[in-house]
Amino acid sequence: MNQRRGQFTGVVCANIPLCREHFKLVMEVRGFPPTKAGQFVQLLCRSTRDLDYVERELEWPSPQRPEVENVDLIAPTALLRRPFSLAGATTDGETATIEVIHRVVGVGTDWLVQLRTGDEVGILGPLGNTFSHPVENQIAILVGGGVGIPPMLYLASELVGKKVIAFCGATTRDLLSLTVTADARTPGIDSIEPLYNIQEFAAHGIPAVISTDDGSYGFRGFVTQSLQEYLDRFRIRGEMAVIYTCGPEVMMKRVADLARARQIPCQVAVERAMACGMGTCQSCCIRVKKPDASAVPLPGQDWCYRLACTDGPVFAGEELLW
Amino acid sequence: MIDLSVHLAGLKLANPTMTCSGTCGYAFEYGDFMDLSQLGAFVTKSVTREERPGNPPARIVETRGGMLNAIGLANVGLKRFLDEKVPQLEKMPCPIVVNVAGHSYDDYVETVAAMNPIACVGSVELNVSCPNVKDGLTFGTNPGRLKELVHEVKKVLPAKPLMVKLSPNVDDVAVTARAAIEGGADVLTLVNTFTAMSIDIHRRRPRLANVTGGLSGPAIKPIAIHMVSRVYRQVAKAAGVPIVGMGGVQTWQDAAEFILAGASAVAIGTALFVDPAAPNKICEGLGEWVSKQGAEKLSDLVGTVQMPGD
């Protein structure tokens, strides 16, 4: 098995709509190294032929060929790659099957939606660090919001047999990228009871509490509200639990605050605009506290920037200054 | 066998592909993704005398065919560069160019002087044209100050060729090119990024925290080609000063265009983010192109675009 990260070509196995605007893209990648939850890939959101630089004859049916050049700028294309956290991965011999969940927000993700089974995708990775697993008897609390749910799914698959509860939130049911099991009991709008009603988590024996802002499914309110109620009701504090979170920044900040107030360790997978993903462009910076102000970098200053791509994307909640 | 080698005022490159400062880290960041031994030369991220945290985010935004960045010269500073990065650079399998930036004459002189005795450093590139720091542009846009700066810096770098990276944000790049050569520049590198801006129309705010940034990528290539061509014909050719051309190089076809315009070597920047192996592919493509042109050496094709009236 290849251990080295690099550039790979994935072949699309499936590109399935999960809910409004969200798609699950499954790709087979020969020689892709082993990965872990928290890591991400940089996807080329345009044809891999763009990277061949081979001079091509225009395909034209008539014998008289048109005199056109530089056709590439006619349609807008995503120049840079786009980072996606892994939603899952399995390996079978030399071939890895990796999953990402993407939401259509621009020209890059719009291109991804058009992909069909058998199409090729340029992949660079795997990149970034990973979540640290809970220690013996520690309850793992997975908190995902919107497009932050995918790394929680991958983490769930790694924590089979451990004590795990998932809290997931979306604006509304239409935007919840999870599958409600057909015969599931519908949770009440004020219920924080963990249920085995979400297929993706139930498959790993993990119960979930779902929140929607408008109450169209599960708890009515933010995922941070259901989480807070749960932590308080069951008096969860300190090292008895570990919270993992990924989602909108305002949500992750709140989750980190809830954890800090209760001395619960918290691991946050941040999202940042990124060009390279490899620590060279320095664009995905995030402010963190320095434990010792006299230490490098920037002695005399009590904070510094870290890069989401190589220092993260997973950071300890208590060190993040955002 | 096609000869792709390049001589940049004493710095010998096996081929004309270089990296653009600020797009390739300090040393081995791309080691897993490209064959560093096949690079003509590696150009480090800018080093300043003091360590700099850089600008607050958002630092980049993609625009049509381009990338706008305002990193703000985030770097480890001279001391940590010498302690932590030089030992890495010593292991690099290709020639090294260290990019140096600063705020004052003293800043530049002290940092460049520190590079002079380092054996693995083949050359220093002077960044006088970063558009994202408050007073960084004044050296690059004022011919008098530029000439004086290059002159001062050249004094402390007797052992190595000095490259000067020119700003495109001037009325006539040939004027600053001449000033740099008069100051003692051994090689000109052009162009740096273009000062530009992008607006979020929904929030009615600039999309970069720094408001403006430097535009790079394929969108700027035709302007860069023009500037290389102008500098080559107006100044550099007669002075015998080689040019490193850059600005939107993604493919060997782009590189060939820069060579014809007058560049002896080309540097690849934004394209590295998309395809870190781009320099290796460009090198391959250039070899075939040179042979199709009926030439034996790439250097025979430098500046050979035929203009009306030539």
Side-chain angles (χ1 to χ4, degrees):
Chain A
M1 191 79 206
N2 184 11
Q3 296 295 314
R4 223 164 93 137
R5 57 195 196 141
Q7 283 196 62
F8 300 88
T9 301
V11 179
V12 175
C13 309
N15 195 19
I16 313 153
L18 295 174
C19 63
R20 180 155 62 90
E21 299 164 23
H22 291 64
F23 292 78
K24 179 162 85 172
L25 176 62
V26 186
M27 296 163 285
E28 277 188 357
V29 199
R30 267 191 75 79
F32 200 69
T35 56
K36 280 193 168 159
Q39 288 190 293
F40 66 100
V41 289
Q42 284 270 54
L43 297 186
L44 185 71
C45 296
R46 51 190 165 101
S47 170
T48 49
R49 285 176 29 149
D50 282 8
L51 304 188
D52 293 344
Y53 312 132
V54 182
E55 288 208 315
R56 275 188 203 85
E57 301 270 302
L58 280 172
E59 287 160 24
W60 190 253
S62 127
Q64 197 177 351
R65 287 171 13 89
E67 289 183 22
V68 289
E69 271 189 353
N70 297 332
V71 286
D72 58 320
L73 284 183
I74 293 171
T77 55
L79 173 70
L80 301 168
R81 289 171 184 266
R82 303 287 191 261
F84 295 92
S85 54
L86 291 170
T90 53
T91 43
D92 180 9
E94 279 293 300
T95 302
T97 303
I98 64 172
E99 288 179 22
V100 301
I101 293 172
H102 58 99
R103 182 180 186 177
V104 184
V105 292
V107 55
T109 39
D110 183 54
W111 186 86
L112 287 183
V113 167
Q114 319 299 327
L115 288 170
R116 296 289 170 262
T117 305
D119 288 346
E120 293 189 342
V121 186
I123 302 169
L124 196 150
L127 302 164
N129 65 358
T130 65
F131 292 110
S132 310
H133 283 194
V135 295
E136 199 68 26
N137 291 325
Q138 216 173 16
I139 309 163
I141 302 173
L142 280 44
V143 188
V147 284
I149 293 173
M152 295 300 129
L153 298 176
Y154 193 1
L155 185 59
S157 73
E158 292 180 343
L159 299 181
V160 176
K162 303 246 167 101
K163 283 192 273 182
V164 188
I165 309 166
F167 285 79
C168 289
T171 322
T172 182
R173 184 173 183 160
D174 279 3
L175 290 171
L176 182 68
S177 62
L178 296 167
T179 319
V180 177
T181 42
D183 55 351
R185 180 153 62 91
T186 304
I189 56 165
D190 51 4
S191 167
I192 56 161
E193 182 193 350
L195 299 174
Y196 293 91
N197 57 341
I198 300 298
Q199 214 169 16
E200 289 83 349
F201 291 109
H204 303 302
I206 296 170
V209 177
I210 303 300
S211 315
T212 51
D213 298 0
D214 60 0
S216 51
Y217 188 80
F219 181 89
R220 182 166 64 198
F222 299 132
V223 66
T224 48
Q225 292 173 297
S226 54
L227 174 70
Q228 181 173 8
E229 262 196 58
Y230 189 87
L231 296 176
D232 288 344
R233 186 177 303 173
F234 296 97
R235 295 196 179 81
I236 296 171
R237 308 186 68 83
E239 302 283 333
M240 66 190 278
V242 51
I243 296 178
Y244 300 91
T245 186
C246 184
E249 190 161 306
V250 55
M251 180 206 98
M252 292 191 289
K253 270 184 194 168
R254 180 76 185 129
V255 171
D257 286 346
L258 291 172
R260 191 181 302 119
R262 294 163 180 78
Q263 293 92 41
I264 303 170
C266 179
Q267 297 178 32
V268 181
V270 303
E271 184 187 33
R272 277 289 185 271
M274 222 174 251
C276 69
M278 294 166 274
T280 63
C281 75
Q282 304 270 323
S283 52
C284 61
C285 63
I286 187 154
R287 244 160 37 102
V288 302
K289 242 182 269 176
K290 283 189 345 188
D292 175 6
S294 65
V296 294
L298 300 159
Q301 192 174 284
D302 59 2
W303 64 271
C304 65
Y305 285 123
R306 292 274 185 234
L307 299 180
C309 66
T310 47
D311 301 315
V314 181
F315 293 90
E318 59 264 34
E319 69 173 334
L320 283 174
L321 293 170
W322 310 87
Chain B
M1 188 64 195
I2 300 298
D3 179 6
L4 290 178
S5 68
V6 177
H7 291 254
L8 296 178
L11 185 70
K12 278 186 74 173
L13 278 55
N15 70 65
T17 58
M18 298 170 54
T19 55
C20 291
S21 176
T23 63
C24 53
Y26 293 103
F28 286 98
E29 282 87 339
Y30 284 133
D32 285 345
F33 304 94
M34 74 154 102
D35 185 350
L36 293 165
S37 71
Q38 296 296 307
L39 265 182
F42 177 87
V43 185
T44 69
K45 176 154 190 60
S46 286
V47 181
T48 54
R49 182 159 69 173
E50 309 299 339
E51 186 166 0
R52 291 174 58 95
N55 291 329
R59 290 178 172 184
I60 56 153
V61 51
E62 181 171 317
T63 58
R64 181 78 72 90
M67 183 185 122
L68 198 51
N69 88 78
I71 307 299
L73 291 178
N75 82 95
V76 298
L78 178 58
K79 188 184 177 308
R80 287 182 61 205
F81 178 80
L82 297 175
D83 293 347
E84 299 168 23
K85 306 301 177 185
V86 169
Q88 294 289 310
L89 287 171
E90 282 168 349
K91 297 179 197 142
M92 288 281 278
C94 59
I96 304 297
V97 180
V98 176
N99 182 291
V100 171
H103 285 284
S104 64
Y105 289 104
D106 291 349
D107 269 5
Y108 279 104
V109 167
E110 186 180 329
T111 313
V112 172
M115 302 303 159
N116 192 57
I118 303 172
C120 70
V121 174
S123 172
V124 170
E125 180 182 55
L126 222 50
N127 178 1
V128 289
S129 47
C130 179
N132 300 326
V133 291
K134 284 193 178 62
D135 51 353
L137 257 184
T138 53
F139 284 109
T141 53
N142 180 324
R145 290 190 74 185
L146 178 62
K147 182 178 165 180
E148 199 183 332
L149 175 71
V150 174
H151 183 71
E152 293 302 314
V153 164
K154 186 67 197 158
K155 281 190 217 163
V156 296
L157 193 73
K160 304 177 199 295
L162 178 67
M163 303 186 177
V164 177
K165 187 167 183 175
L166 297 176
S167 169
N169 302 305
V170 291
D171 288 344
D172 183 359
V173 70
V175 172
T176 38
R178 187 171 288 114
I181 291 174
E182 285 172 2
D186 300 301
V187 180
L188 297 177
T189 59
L190 64 150
V191 297
N192 206 323
T193 54
F194 289 79
T195 303
M197 181 172 170
S198 177
I199 295 171
D200 179 333
I201 58 166
H202 304 293
R203 294 168 59 239
R204 290 198 274 164
R205 293 204 178 107
R207 288 165 77 194
L208 288 177
N210 191 53
V211 179
T212 58
L215 184 66
S216 63
I220 69 168
K221 195 193 78 179
I223 325 178
I225 293 283
H226 160 67
M227 290 186 168
V228 167
S229 173
R230 180 166 174 80
V231 168
Y232 180 73
R233 290 185 163 244
Q234 299 274 323
V235 195
K237 188 183 178 185
V241 172
I243 294 172
V244 178
M246 63 185 78
V249 178
Q250 296 194 101
T251 66
W252 66 262
Q253 290 92 333
D254 299 329
E257 226 179 304
F258 273 94
I259 301 288
L260 290 173
S264 296
V266 290
I268 298 114
T270 304
L272 292 175
F273 300 148
V274 183
D275 182 6
N280 304 154
K281 294 179 186 172
I282 287 170
C283 212
E284 225 169 274
L286 277 180
E288 278 178 44
W289 172 69
V290 172
S291 112
K292 273 192 193 155
Q293 290 297 317
E296 283 171 10
K297 294 193 296 193
L298 178 82
S299 55
D300 289 343
L301 292 171
V302 171
T304 58
V305 57
Q306 199 150 16
M307 304 279 216
D310 272 358

